[in-house]
Amino acid sequence: MTLAELIAQARTALDTAITTRRTEQDALVALRSEDTLTEEQVRAQIERRDAADAEVTRRQEALEELLAEQAREDELAQLQARTTPAATRAPAYDQVHRVGQEERTYRPDQDRRGAGFERDVAAAFLGDYDAQARLARHMTEERAERGDQLQRAAGTGAFAGLVVPQYLTDMYAPAAAARRPFADVCRPHDLPAQGMTVNLSRITTSTDVDNQSAENVAVTEQDMDDTLHTVNVQTAAGQQTLSRQAIERGAGVEAVVLDDLFRRYHTNLDSKLLNQASTGLTNVATSVAYTDASPTAAELYPKVIEGLAGVEAAMLDMASGDNVAVMHSRRWYWMQNALSSSYPLITQPGIIAQTLGANYATTYGRGVRGMLPNGTPVIVDNNIATNLGAGTNEDEIYLVDRQECHLWEDPDAPMYIRAEQTKAASLGVLMVVYGYYAYTHNRYAHARKIAGTGLVTPTFTGV
């Protein structure tokens, strides 16, 4: 992963931490306005707010450290450019600008037939830059001495060998990618250094407690038992073979190819978290049906609340409250398109009652995009499929406790192999990008998804 990508991830983490801290502060303000609050409740909320504040500070320091590192790299690059020894050879006479009277580039007394001029025209056509410079200087002299006699009848099309096209390689347009918005908000873990499975113990049979039926009578006993939850370590990889000519005679070809491979790696990982058979979020989430021939955002919102209620009911005391809603960009903008005079009866921290949530106006892939009316953060991810349902035109909305969306990644992933010997016989260079990861959303079966005909391709009608 490049330093620029690390900085982008650090910015996303900081944005998320700031949002969490803002939510905890709003919750504290709302709690203090209640008549029945206790000192313990206020203290507990202050501790949560302070913990979120500490997380903001930690994320900020991490970002500042990366930015300082980037600034140092830029400084070293500039220093190297300034200290690189310049050529000591004196420039050619015809490559220096002078003030005063100079001899003409092409002089009749030295070349009566104009052979030197003709040679320069031919050489310039073949790419001789010195010849091109002499021709350009000759034209400048002609304009200065006989400008009123020159007829500008010929356009650039008449000089295909002299008007050189420019290629702005630093402004190349990468192929767009959905990247990893959902993966970036999952609970991160470092992947263990060995093994191709990650095993977790899940308590499936708990102990039991009941009232003692009588004195000196045995109390309730239930043997505790667990079930092994096994998560497979997966390998994501991609390759590209480049000719040595493309690398050695191209401008930034290798860097462009690597950048695209890294973008595909992250997009694939995020897509698997959402869509992979059996383990992807769409396949482990419990469905909340939204069937409607004329769907509206106002009708969809109660389904979101129903899904969040299901998340908390499944988690019970293990619920962190750190819920997120994950949806496609077309669904997020469709919800923003809705206009209505209705608003929730119960106000929420940081949300104006008359609105259907809040839009933070952040860009794609930069963390939380906004808040739903009940304060649930929204993550927009275009790896969500849009060809679901009987009409193959539906998308889904996922509601999860992000602390129970676990993602293990190798700290060095994605990694890069550059193999020159493998394709040496054909002057090729093989580049491979790969990484190991594992994930589970199902340590507790809690996730919910809203699905059905109410989520067909949206029409933007203002309702």
Side-chain angles (χ1 to χ4, degrees), residues 263-400:
R263 294 162 71 87
R264 301 312 134 190
Y265 174 89
H266 292 301
T267 300
N268 169 79
L269 184 148
D270 190 88
S271 180
K272 292 299 187 293
L273 293 179
L274 292 167
N275 306 310
Q276 191 169 23
S278 302
T279 56
L281 192 54
T282 184
N283 293 305
V284 301
T286 301
S287 183
V288 175
Y290 175 38
T291 304
D292 196 327
S294 302
T296 66
E299 293 171 345
L300 170 63
Y301 180 62
K303 297 295 182 180
V304 174
I305 299 300
E306 179 182 346
L308 291 170
V311 170
E312 187 163 314
M315 295 291 295
L316 298 177
D317 68 324
M318 299 307 298
S320 70
D322 192 3
N323 300 327
V324 294
V326 187
M327 63 184 70
H328 196 276
S329 63
R330 73 180 193 178
R331 193 58 51 194
W332 173 236
Y333 283 104
W334 176 73
M335 293 182 70
Q336 293 182 59
N337 132 95
L339 302 172
S340 174
S341 59
S342 302
Y343 51 89
L345 298 179
I346 300 176
T347 60
Q348 303 291 338
I351 303 294
I352 300 174
Q354 289 83 353
T355 62
L356 193 65
N359 175 33
Y360 287 169
T362 55
T363 57
Y364 181 86
R366 293 294 301 273
V368 174
R369 297 293 295 275
M371 289 283 181
L372 296 178
N374 71 327
T376 300
V378 173
I379 301 297
V380 171
D381 193 327
N382 282 1
N383 283 306
I384 293 175
T386 58
N387 60 347
L388 305 175
T392 63
N393 61 347
E394 300 172 12
D395 53 82
E396 296 175 339
I397 298 175
Y398 303 107
L399 304 161
V400 295

Side-chain angles (χ1 to χ4, degrees), residues 13-29 32 45-60 322 349-350 360 368 371 375 377 402:
L14 178 59
D15 289 342
T16 302
I18 291 173
T19 299
T20 302
R21 198 273 181 191
R22 185 186 297 122
T23 301
E24 297 295 348
Q25 176 63 22
D26 291 341
L28 178 60
V29 172
R32 284 172 170 164
Q45 183 59 37
I46 289 176
E47 290 177 355
R48 286 193 291 269
R49 190 274 314 275
D50 291 346
D53 204 22
E55 179 68 8
V56 170
T57 301
R58 188 174 72 83
R59 295 293 186 181
Q60 182 181 10
D322 192 3
Y360 287 169
V368 174
M371 289 283 181
R402 64 176 292 268

Side-chain angles (χ1 to χ4, degrees), residues 22-188:
R22 185 186 297 122
T23 301
E24 297 295 348
Q25 176 63 22
D26 291 341
L28 178 60
V29 172
L31 184 63
R32 284 172 170 164
S33 65
E34 296 180 2
D35 297 332
T36 59
L37 83 163
T38 64
E39 184 177 349
E40 290 75 11
Q41 289 175 312
V42 174
R43 187 182 302 111
Q45 183 59 37
I46 289 176
E47 290 177 355
R48 286 193 291 269
R49 190 274 314 275
D50 291 346
D53 204 22
E55 179 68 8
V56 170
T57 301
R58 188 174 72 83
R59 295 293 186 181
Q60 182 181 10
E61 291 173 350
L63 176 59
E64 290 174 351
E65 181 178 346
L66 290 172
L67 291 174
E69 186 176 341
Q70 181 65 65
R72 180 57 176 165
E73 291 296 323
D74 295 341
E75 181 182 353
L76 290 175
Q78 294 175 5
L79 179 62
Q80 184 179 27
R82 291 198 302 270
T83 57
T84 300
T88 57
R89 180 175 59 86
Y93 178 87
D94 59 357
Q95 293 178 342
V96 177
H97 294 285
R98 292 177 172 81
V99 178
Q101 183 67 34
E102 289 192 19
E103 296 291 345
R104 291 290 301 266
T105 304
Y106 303 107
R107 293 168 49 189
D109 60 324
Q110 293 182 351
D111 185 6
R112 296 180 60 83
R113 297 180 179 275
F117 175 77
E118 293 176 352
R119 283 195 299 271
D120 278 351
V121 171
F125 183 78
L126 296 175
D128 186 328
Y129 293 111
D130 291 339
Q132 293 174 11
R134 286 192 292 273
L135 289 171
R137 189 165 61 253
H138 171 66
M139 289 304 300
T140 301
E141 295 164 354
E142 287 292 290
R143 291 190 188 96
E145 296 185 9
R146 299 190 301 125
D148 56 340
Q149 303 176 33
L150 294 178
Q151 299 295 324
R152 300 174 59 103
T156 58
F159 305 99
L162 302 179
V163 182
V164 182
Q166 300 299 306
Y167 294 89
L168 306 181
T169 56
D170 59 329
M171 292 184 63
Y172 84 98
R179 299 297 291 267
R180 47 179 292 161
F182 176 56
D184 284 340
V185 300
C186 289
R187 185 174 175 180

